[in-house]
Amino acid sequence: QVQLVESGGGLVQAGGSLRLSCAASGSAFSINAMGWYRQAPGKQRELVAGITRGRSTNYADSVKGRFTISRDNAKNTVSLQMNSLKPEDTAVYYCFGGSTWNLINYWGQGTQVTVSS
């Protein structure tokens, strides 16, 4: 079993930055892809960014050029640096672990990101 524990998030003004981190414990060696989904009120959960053990990455078009995902395989951690934040980035962000960014086996508890205008 794998547990994902998130940290970071909070309230920031538009144009500001935040960093999210997620640490995997348990049988983390079984995870190929890690990253972040988000869900805003009344909207479906969507992929924000993902990264594989081989460090292949995938970003939502809406965050390309603003967000950067990184991973430390030795520590089983993944981080998301979010710059130039916009009010539309406001959502609950969920760390995930799985075979790919579409085949999810594990979820974190979620962390709120709020961007004020």
Side-chain angles (χ1 to χ4, degrees), residues 42-100:
K43 294 188 176 181
Q44 288 190 331
R45 194 173 292 193
E46 63 174 357
L47 176 68
V48 177
I51 185 169
T52 66
R53 280 195 173 272
R55 292 187 172 79
S56 294
T57 58
N58 186 19
Y59 291 94
D61 288 342
S62 60
V63 308
K64 285 179 181 177
R66 301 188 297 122
F67 292 10
T68 303
I69 192 168
S70 59
R71 180 171 179 170
D72 186 329
N73 289 330
K75 295 182 179 179
N76 294 315
T77 59
V78 62
S79 296
L80 185 69
Q81 179 65 41
M82 305 185 292
N83 299 328
S84 302
L85 282 160
K86 304 176 180 180
E88 50 263 44
D89 295 317
T90 295
V92 178
Y93 284 68
Y94 296 91
C95 178
F96 75 87
S99 302
T100 71

Side-chain angles (χ1 to χ4, degrees), residues 18-40:
L18 284 174
R19 185 176 182 87
L20 305 181
S21 295
C22 176
S25 61
S27 303
F29 61 85
S30 64
I31 299 176
N32 176 46
M34 295 184 72
W36 302 86
Y37 274 70
R38 68 186 179 188
Q39 187 166 20

